[in-house]
Amino acid sequence: MGTEYPNSPAIPSRPASPFSVPQSSTPFKSSGPVVGPEASAFRHAPPSSSQITPPSSSYGSMVGTEASAFRTIPSGMPNGAARPPPTSGFPNMPPAAGPYQHFPAPQFSSIAQVPPPRTSLAGQPVLWPPVRPVSGSFSTSPVSLNPTQPPPVQMGSPPQSGSMVQPDPVAPRSPIDSQFSAARATMQLSSPTAGSVYPVARPSFQSSFPGYISQQTTAGAQAQPRQSLAFHPKPGGYVPPMPAASSPYFAQQGGYAAPPSVASQLGHPREQIRHPGSTHPMAVMQGLVEDFSSFSIGSVPGSFDSGLDSKVLPRPLEGDLERNTLSEMFPLNCSSRYLRLTTSGIPNSQSLASRWHLPLGAVVCPLAEAPNGEEVPVVNFAQTGIIRCKRCRTYVNPYVTFTDGGRKWRCNSCALLNDVPGEYFAHLDASGRRIDLDQRPELTKGSVEFIAPTDYMVRPPMPPLYFFLIDVSAVRSGMLEVVAQTIKSCLDNLLGFSRTQIGFITYDSTLHFYNMKSSLNQPQMMVMSDLDDVFIPLPDDLVVNLSESRTVVDAFLDSFPSMFQENTNVESAFGPALRAAFMVMSQLGGKLLIFQHSLPSLGVGRLRLRGDDIRVYGTDKEHILRIPEDPFYKQMAADFTKNQVAVNVYGFSDKYTDLATLGTLAKYTGGQVYYYPSFQAAVHKDKLCHELARDITRETAWESVMRIRCGKGVRFTTYHGNFMLRSTDLIALPAVDCDKAYAMQLSLEETLLTSQTVYFQVALLYTSSSGERRIRVHTAAAPVVADLGEMYRMADTGAIISLFTRLAIEKTLTSKLEEARKSVQLRIVKALREYRNLHAVQHRLGGRMIYPESLKCLPLYGLAICKSIALRGGYANAQPDERCAAGYTMMALPVKKMLKLLYPQLIRIDEYLLKKTSLAEDSKDKGIWKGLPLAAGSLDPQGLYLYDDGFRFVLWFGSMLSPDRVKNLLGENFAADYSKVSLRELDNEISRNLMGLLNKYRESDSSYYQLSYLVRQGEKPREGYFLLTNLIEDPVGGANGYLDWIMQLHRQVQQNA
Amino acid sequence: MGDILIWLLFFFIVIAILVMLIFQLICLTDLEFDYINPYDTASQINRVVLPEFITQGVLCFLYLIRGHWAMLLYCVPYLYYNVRLYMQRRHLIDVTEIFNMLYWEKKQRIFKLGHIVILLLISLFWVIYSALEDDELDL
């Protein structure tokens, strides 16, 4: 959200404080109220000022913030300046308060140049060189505005009175535009009050009142403010994202160049700061929504320069707004890949915790893929045994301290003094460090892996075992061929070479077992038709060692698709097959992959059609559709977990297969649900191939358990994700891999925490594919804070959203969708209200919406959660199976992936494709990959857009896109129905570029394969289905658009504030 | 003499229900402190859930045919609650969600326990009362 908007409609009464003050870095003091008016938007651009760079195009997305900067503030009071700024506001803030801290110097610095208040600049436009923000601070550009003359309004759009909402659909798209509009709106409001309008450039976020200049303008002034600068007037069109380089600053400068004509004005140049993030749609709301404090925070400025940042800038949502405050504070912590806390500041009392309405907890991804060079070091203690605290069982970690000449170590978590075993002893140097510290990764790294001795085994380490349970009933989709081919091609890459075990069962109305003993040439098939009393025909040879029986397995995979090609049996004895698989696997455990093509119809666990009853929706029984119908499945899932079997479910049907029930198997065994609705080999082959291959070849931790410990006084109470709890705090994970994350919430056990720091330690005990028992330990420290503002400052939107999503999905299992959505909204409202209460008194916020910088995207993500497939709408908005599959998938997603799914990336690629750039250069060019706001206004009919949510690509062809280009991309059948056209590489530059681009995106995150869907503008059902319903900033199907959502939140926040 | 026997019967039935409830609570507490695993907990508790429901139903039935309206009235809410749980298929412990439900399951059983303890005291009163009454008659 727009972070930095300065904000609030200015209150006339509060004139800006003398400038001097602001300059002095106390901008805060006077805060806020005043500011508002200046809506950033208005810069007056003097027409004459040639200097001004046209803000327009250059602004690109970035602009928004800047724009804000300019706002002129109409402060009616001449006197105003004179008045002392209301100091109360900011000064009070605890110094610590994050946002504020940042503000300081940089912003104001520019101010200094500003003429003293009241001094008239004599109309000279002051141009400030754009300041590049240094280290994240905002650059401030001074602006002098001349209010007097009404500059021609470029915008052309009259100020809209009062209505915050922009008429322009486009608005969201171009932040700039939106800002202006917003600005205008604000202006109007404010201006009336103020007798004279002072244009003030404001630093955006700040509520720096002081800063604004009060210039006395003549009467005309009010009108002026409206004028937006050069910004693109065009309402609808959005501005194509400019290359980052064009910085907003320029624009501002230009703006400043305001014509001298103004009589006595003080131009106030305030610099503005822009936050990259701020630009986004929130800007629209600006008047309403500004956040003050937050804004200033450091978002960063440097973004303009580097391509990467610019990409990040505009979208609040740029994937992950992760901030590294914690790792700066505690450099020895494990990477945030592995552990993310919803807020790094742990509340020191229960009463403080109860005021934190967001989830308090962590998201853990114990096996996250580490980039090259950052692999987790492996430590073998051999005879010493693993060093742990005797009392709290904490593993030795970088935060333990050695004392007594190195003979004792103090546990960081419970402060117990433990003896150092003889073999582990090392002397301490003068500063108390062990002399062998450099050779001890467990004492220097937050993440480490110990080789576990036999005490950590209840049985010999299991070999990797893959068991395939395949539904062969009347399958015509080509699924069998794809599965067989994929498995066959992966046989060489399966984990645990030479120890790998493999087995198959197929079923329709009967069960088929395959004897693959190595002495045979061909697999022997045994058919069992008694479904009531399933037994295993051969005790030993149904699961075989892959390397020994390789030829038999190959022969089986070659022949079995053709064997069942003509099968006309439509029944599916899924339950009995599951039992048989359980019996086969129960000795060893392993991974069970289920390929289910139809609704289980025979034997135990048969299911019936449900979910097509529209009347159920909206009633109290609605949630029953999302929970397993037959307790058999839960019981089986529990038994599987107990026997170390992880189940992955692949669903293929176009008809209802009750994934809500089948998915239970995956949910409680640490597995995953893959769903390919209406699977057709021709279309989905690549996706299934890739995902199945990844599933069986990615590094996996077998028969594992995970526990997360934390210091005294804090306890993890609830866990969310796909797994089963084995005891109150022990997560059983038969198989876990890098694509799975788990969330948990903590609570305080003591009313008051006395320690300064809380330590978290995630320990995952597992068997590696090579047959070694290992313990992976991640340690992190987090400070205990006594102040709610500090908690907000250290909040991590990604982790919060990840937890929110899981909580909301769990809620859909016990209540209506509507209620789940409401609960998300309610918690966001409560959190914002609490935050508002923190600041409202001091700052007289009036109608502004404020939120902490760290949570600027929270409302948008909240909206995205409500519009995600798992939670959206009602009966008509998603198939029950699709909804459940999405729910199961989201419960396991790591934070980054989740954020991407919630707020996908939308980029315009047609211009890029035309460029000659080779892919190698693109890394430098990242600047062009600015994400666009997810709104229909972002789509230009002349463009080609790529929508990427991490699970699929949607290519949107504008209706006015040149036919040649389309032809180049799609070949001869470019005019055909896009649902039948598949994208493949053609022999021309554009097509190669496109395919290269898509592949690059796929490689950047290989956990899922994004299949490309082509959509033409205006192509009715498809466009809506693939793209329009996913443009979450638009109001679709009765749901709120982003703007309405914010308004709604804002209203609710204020209601009981 | 008949009265005292029937009251004694009621008394022992109530004791039986009490024992089953306490057993369930012990299992849940053990689970909480990690003395037994969720699988065993669930199977042990589930084994006695239905007997508990049935015994309580029988007790109500006996009150009914003996015409002890006040006692019956006291027991009906408990019976209704059991029937409702059973109809909703929520009477058994779900091993997969046992930890999430732990708090609720315990609370529910503690309330039941309180109810039954009061019933036990009343029954005890009736046993003694009817014994004394018999004595008086003998005199």
Side-chain angles (χ1 to χ4, degrees):
Chain A
M1 329 252 185
T3 43
E4 355 193 331
Y5 300 127
N7 354 222
S8 26
I11 297 172
S13 60
R14 297 214 155 203
S17 50
F19 298 105
S20 60
V21 174
Q23 299 177 355
S24 59
S25 80
T26 48
F28 297 107
K29 299 182 165 190
S30 44
S31 50
V34 180
V35 179
E38 344 0 353
S40 42
F42 308 129
R43 309 66 183 299
H44 305 284
S48 61
S49 63
S50 56
Q51 303 174 351
I52 301 171
T53 48
S56 57
S57 55
S58 57
Y59 284 122
S61 45
M62 309 293 305
V63 178
T65 36
E66 295 186 350
S68 54
F70 291 94
R71 316 81 180 284
T72 50
I73 302 175
S75 49
M77 349 278 325
N79 308 342
R83 294 182 185 179
T87 40
S88 59
F90 293 100
N92 297 341
M93 304 299 298
Y100 303 102
Q101 299 180 348
H102 301 291
F103 294 95
Q107 303 178 348
F108 297 96
S109 60
S110 59
I111 297 176
Q113 301 180 358
V114 178
R118 300 227 148 198
T119 6
S120 56
L121 292 178
Q124 296 227 351
V126 178
L127 292 180
W128 302 76
V131 179
R132 281 306 168 85
V134 177
S135 71
S137 55
F138 312 93
S139 55
T140 56
S141 51
V143 176
S144 62
L145 302 178
N146 307 330
T148 10
Q149 305 236 347
V153 177
Q154 297 185 354
M155 299 298 292
S157 56
Q160 309 178 347
S161 57
S163 59
M164 309 302 301
V165 179
Q166 274 253 343
D168 283 356
V170 177
R173 219 241 138 259
S174 60
I176 299 171
D177 289 352
S178 59
Q179 292 188 345
F180 290 112
S181 59
R184 294 173 209 154
T186 45
M187 293 300 295
Q188 296 180 349
L189 297 175
S190 60
S191 57
T193 47
S196 54
V197 177
Y198 301 99
V200 175
R202 283 314 231 31
S204 41
F205 67 119
Q206 54 197 58
S207 33
S208 43
F209 322 143
Y212 40 73
I213 307 154
S214 50
Q215 298 184 349
Q216 300 197 340
T217 47
T218 54
Q222 296 183 352
Q224 297 179 355
R226 282 23 181 353
Q227 323 207 343
S228 45
L229 305 181
F231 303 103
H232 317 301
K234 357 167 135 188
Y238 63 64
V239 181
M242 301 301 297
S246 59
S247 50
Y249 298 101
F250 295 87
Q252 294 184 344
Q253 297 177 353
Y256 294 104
S261 58
V262 178
S264 56
Q265 310 140 356
L266 303 183
H268 246 21
R270 269 323 215 65
E271 56 309 357
Q272 50 293 22
I273 305 159
R274 76 216 34 295
H275 282 315
S278 52
T279 330
H280 84 41
M282 286 288 283
V284 178
M285 306 280 319
Q286 203 165 11
L288 172 61
V289 184
E290 324 195 281
D291 143 0
F292 59 81
S293 28
S294 24
F295 297 170
S296 37
I297 299 188
S299 34
V300 179
S303 8
F304 297 92
D305 311 319
S306 74
L308 193 140
D309 280 351
S310 65
K311 176 176 166 192
V312 174
L313 267 187
R315 288 339 279 151
L317 304 185
E318 194 30 62
D320 199 359
L321 297 170
E322 185 179 348
R323 295 174 317 144
N324 289 318
T325 47
L326 192 58
S327 60
E328 283 157 18
M329 214 179 310
F330 295 99
L332 297 177
N333 274 4
C334 62
S335 155
S336 62
R337 279 191 296 280
Y338 306 116
L339 174 71
R340 283 176 75 164
L341 296 168
T342 55
T343 174
S344 312
I346 306 299
N348 72 341
S349 67
Q350 285 178 344
S351 62
L352 181 56
S354 66
R355 291 170 63 202
W356 170 255
H357 297 284
L358 297 168
L360 183 60
V363 180
V364 174
C365 184
L367 291 176
E369 281 176 305
N372 287 339
E374 293 184 35
E375 288 87 0
V376 177
V378 178
V379 175
N380 192 348
F381 279 124
Q383 332 76 346
T384 322
I386 294 179
I387 306 195
R388 302 174 67 174
C389 172
K390 279 182 297 198
R391 182 163 66 195
C392 66
R393 310 303 291 152
T394 297
Y395 294 84
V396 68
N397 64 68
Y399 294 105
V400 304
T401 46
F402 288 84
T403 56
D404 199 9
R407 285 188 292 275
K408 304 245 184 198
W409 62 274
R410 186 179 294 281
C411 171
N412 53 324
S413 198
C414 69
L416 182 73
L417 267 186
N418 293 274
D419 292 328
V420 175
E423 299 88 339
Y424 195 65
F425 176 81
H427 290 286
L428 304 185
D429 66 11
S431 59
R433 287 163 22 113
R434 282 170 64 106
I435 51 175
D436 64 348
L437 199 62
D438 299 339
Q439 285 98 53
R440 296 287 185 186
E442 73 275 14
L443 297 179
T444 51
K445 294 264 170 49
S447 299
V448 71
E449 226 168 62
F450 299 117
I451 308 273
T454 49
D455 326 352
Y456 292 84
M457 303 175 197
V458 288
R459 60 173 185 175
M462 59 176 275
L465 185 151
Y466 296 93
F467 201 86
F468 298 88
L469 194 57
I470 304 171
D471 176 10
V472 293
S473 57
V475 179
R476 292 280 176 277
S477 61
M479 179 270 280
L480 291 184
E481 289 78 3
V482 178
V483 170
Q485 282 166 20
T486 309
I487 297 172
K488 195 174 172 208
S489 66
C490 291
L491 287 181
D492 288 328
N493 301 323
L494 292 186
L495 301 168
F497 179 71
S498 87
R499 300 169 68 239
T500 315
Q501 309 266 314
I502 195 166
F504 298 87
I505 289 180
T506 59
Y507 58 95
D508 42 28
S509 61
T510 55
L511 309 187
H512 318 128
F513 295 87
Y514 299 89
N515 177 359
M516 301 208 258
K517 202 169 169 178
S518 55
S519 53
L520 300 170
N521 289 326
Q522 285 288 320
Q524 270 177 355
M525 176 168 160
M526 283 154 286
V527 177
M528 179 183 294
S529 53
D530 179 6
L531 302 178
D532 295 330
D533 185 18
V534 176
F535 63 96
I536 306 181
L538 284 172
D540 298 326
D541 296 322
L542 296 178
V543 173
V544 296
N545 183 295
L546 179 60
S547 49
E548 288 168 12
S549 301
R550 180 64 187 266
T551 51
V552 193
V553 173
D554 277 342
F556 168 75
L557 289 172
D558 286 336
S559 61
F560 106 92
S562 52
M563 244 170 8
F564 295 104
Q565 207 158 36
E566 302 306 318
N567 195 352
T568 54
N569 192 332
V570 294
E571 301 289 348
S572 169
F574 179 69
L578 199 62
R579 277 208 168 143
F582 174 71
M583 284 185 245
V584 175
M585 299 180 75
S586 59
Q587 290 306 309
L588 278 177
K591 201 159 182 164
L592 174 64
L593 293 94
I594 296 171
F595 299 86
Q596 179 64 20
H597 198 276
S598 53
L599 194 66
S601 58
L602 286 180
V604 60
R606 67 180 154 271
L607 300 171
R608 61 194 174 83
L609 276 177
R610 54 175 191 157
D612 50 355
D613 187 354
I614 194 169
R615 286 165 305 174
V616 174
Y617 277 83
T619 69
D620 290 339
K621 301 207 160 160
E622 179 191 315
H623 70 275
I624 293 178
L625 294 179
R626 295 184 285 271
I627 60 175
E629 184 186 15
D630 188 337
F632 167 77
Y633 289 92
K634 273 197 163 182
Q635 190 56 48
M636 284 306 291
D639 291 342
F640 275 125
T641 304
K642 193 176 179 183
N643 291 283
Q644 307 293 356
V645 177
V647 180
N648 282 1
V649 177
Y650 289 75
F652 297 96
S653 180
D654 50 342
K655 293 195 288 287
Y656 183 70
T657 41
D658 203 349
L659 278 184
T661 302
L662 300 184
T664 316
L665 293 168
K667 176 174 178 180
Y668 293 110
T669 60
Q672 219 172 327
V673 173
Y674 295 88
Y675 182 47
Y676 308 87
S678 314
F679 182 85
Q680 287 301 324
V683 182
H684 301 91
K685 178 167 186 276
D686 289 343
K687 186 169 172 67
L688 176 59
C689 269
H690 177 95
E691 290 172 3
L692 175 57
R694 179 165 172 98
D695 187 14
I696 57 183
T697 58
R698 65 188 161 194
E699 184 53 50
T700 301
W702 307 88
E703 51 176 355
S704 44
V705 290
M706 182 169 82
R707 173 172 271 142
I708 176 163
R709 293 187 170 81
C710 44
K712 214 162 108 267
V714 185
R715 195 165 68 93
F716 281 96
T717 46
T718 60
Y719 298 82
H720 312 274
N722 291 354
F723 56 77
M724 209 179 119
L725 284 173
R726 186 169 295 166
S727 73
T728 39
D729 60 346
L730 188 67
I731 298 177
L733 297 166
V736 54
D737 51 64
C738 58
D739 296 330
K740 311 257 167 53
Y742 308 92
M744 46 214 76
Q745 286 183 281
L746 55 81
S747 62
L748 301 186
E749 287 187 304
E750 293 170 10
T751 34
L752 207 60
L753 287 186
T754 47
S755 54
Q756 295 301 305
T757 312
V758 173
Y759 297 92
F760 297 95
Q761 191 166 64
V762 181
L764 177 78
L765 171 63
Y766 70 97
T767 300
S768 69
S769 299
S770 54
E772 214 168 24
R773 202 73 175 143
R774 292 184 173 192
I775 306 169
R776 179 175 284 222
V777 177
H778 301 297
T779 311
V784 173
V785 300
D787 170 42
L788 190 60
E790 192 72 355
M791 289 178 72
Y792 276 108
R793 188 176 72 80
M794 300 171 91
D796 178 348
T797 309
I800 290 171
I801 287 299
S802 194
L803 253 166
F804 258 156
T805 311
R806 289 163 199 251
L807 292 172
I809 291 172
E810 282 178 2
K811 179 123 187 160
T812 63
L813 303 182
T814 54
S815 47
K816 288 182 275 191
L817 292 173
E818 183 62 36
E819 282 166 22
R821 290 192 292 262
K822 273 196 187 136
S823 70
V824 171
Q825 185 175 356
L826 187 67
R827 291 191 77 168
I828 293 177
V829 167
K830 276 188 184 165
L832 293 178
R833 185 184 296 150
E834 195 69 47
Y835 185 74
R836 185 182 176 83
N837 291 344
L838 269 187
H839 300 290
V841 183
Q842 302 151 337
H843 302 297
R844 302 204 192 158
L845 297 167
R848 296 163 54 205
M849 174 159 172
I850 63 166
Y851 44 87
E853 164 71 12
S854 58
L855 297 179
K856 61 187 179 191
C857 297
L858 187 71
L860 181 53
Y861 278 122
L863 177 65
I865 292 174
C866 295
K867 292 190 172 189
S868 64
I869 295 177
L871 284 148
R872 71 166 59 139
Y875 174 79
N877 298 82
Q879 297 290 318
D881 274 351
E882 209 178 344
R883 205 187 279 283
C884 289
Y888 286 123
T889 303
M890 290 167 83
M891 287 298 282
L893 285 184
V895 176
K896 284 186 192 294
K897 197 89 183 138
M898 175 89 84
L899 293 184
K900 180 143 188 208
L901 176 63
L902 289 176
Y903 196 92
Q905 194 177 20
L906 178 68
I907 52 176
R908 179 169 182 160
I909 56 173
D910 49 328
E911 278 156 18
Y912 165 78
L913 296 180
L914 285 178
K915 276 202 281 176
K916 295 269 293 175
T917 50
S918 67
L919 287 171
E921 290 170 40
D922 269 356
S923 40
K924 288 182 226 145
D925 254 357
K926 267 196 172 162
I928 68 167
W929 300 126
K930 282 190 215 161
L932 303 175
L934 285 175
S938 299
L939 303 169
D940 175 356
Q942 298 182 2
L944 171 61
Y945 292 83
L946 174 65
Y947 166 94
D948 171 18
D949 65 6
F951 289 79
R952 64 181 174 191
F953 290 139
V954 176
L955 280 168
W956 186 87
F957 292 80
S959 57
M960 293 165 70
L961 187 63
S962 107
D964 290 348
R965 224 173 276 179
V966 179
K967 194 170 169 184
N968 282 338
L969 289 172
L970 303 182
E972 291 309 316
N973 44 5
F974 66 93
D977 178 3
Y978 281 10
S979 59
K980 299 193 177 66
V981 179
S982 64
L983 204 58
R984 60 201 159 79
E985 185 157 330
L986 299 174
D987 189 23
N988 63 63
E989 184 89 19
I990 298 187
S991 177
R992 272 193 297 272
N993 271 348
L994 177 64
M995 298 311 282
L997 178 69
L998 297 186
N999 287 333
K1000 195 165 67 81
Y1001 270 82
R1002 284 175 185 141
E1003 282 162 17
S1004 67
D1005 177 8
S1006 51
S1007 52
Y1008 290 89
Y1009 181 89
Q1010 296 104 319
L1011 208 55
S1012 308
Y1013 295 91
L1014 310 181
V1015 171
R1016 183 188 287 133
Q1017 182 178 14
E1019 193 179 4
K1020 253 327 171 210
R1022 278 171 61 81
E1023 188 192 23
Y1025 175 74
F1026 285 112
L1027 192 62
L1028 299 187
T1029 52
N1030 296 322
L1031 297 177
I1032 57 166
E1033 289 180 25
D1034 284 338
V1036 175
N1040 283 331
Y1042 191 20
L1043 199 64
D1044 300 333
W1045 170 258
I1046 290 291
M1047 301 282 279
Q1048 202 177 339
L1049 290 183
H1050 182 54
R1051 243 189 337 262
Q1052 293 179 2
V1053 165
Q1054 283 194 306
Q1055 260 166 12
N1056 305 319
Chain B
M1 204 51 200
D3 247 16
I4 188 168
L5 286 184
I6 211 76
W7 281 115
L8 271 178
L9 175 65
F10 289 158
F11 180 73
F12 286 114
I13 292 179
V14 173
I15 296 265
I17 299 174
L18 193 68
V19 168
M20 286 188 275
L21 274 176
I22 291 177
F23 172 76
Q24 295 179 33
L25 272 171
I26 290 174
C27 286
L28 289 173
T29 316
D30 280 355
L31 177 70
E32 198 174 353
F33 291 99
D34 210 9
Y35 294 135
I36 52 176
N37 68 48
Y39 301 96
D40 295 344
T41 311
S43 64
Q44 285 176 11
I45 292 179
N46 289 344
R47 226 170 24 215
V48 297
V49 166
L50 273 188
E52 178 215 321
F53 285 15
I54 291 168
T55 315
Q56 206 269 341
V58 168
L59 182 66
C60 289
F61 181 71
L62 289 179
Y63 282 142
L64 179 69
I65 58 173
R66 292 291 300 177
H68 296 298
W69 305 113
M71 298 297 284
L72 179 64
L73 203 63
Y74 182 73
C75 288
V76 160
Y78 189 114
L79 180 69
Y80 170 74
Y81 184 72
N82 283 351
V83 170
R84 210 172 62 113
L85 277 187
Y86 185 79
M87 301 299 281
Q88 293 175 343
R89 301 267 142 212
R90 284 164 55 212
H91 59 292
L92 293 181
I93 295 260
D94 176 359
V95 65
T96 52
E97 293 290 346
I98 191 166
F99 286 103
N100 295 335
M101 305 292 290
L102 195 56
Y103 176 73
W104 184 82
E105 298 281 359
K106 274 182 74 176
K107 201 170 83 175
Q108 170 208 341
R109 283 174 174 80
I110 285 172
F111 273 102
K112 281 183 170 184
L113 191 67
H115 183 102
I116 291 295
V117 166
I118 293 173
L119 190 62
L120 184 74
L121 295 178
I122 299 175
S123 301
L124 196 61
F125 166 79
W126 279 113
V127 170
I128 296 169
Y129 181 82
S130 52
L132 292 177
E133 222 171 32
D134 280 355
D135 279 354
E136 280 168 17
L137 288 179
D138 288 346
L139 289 175

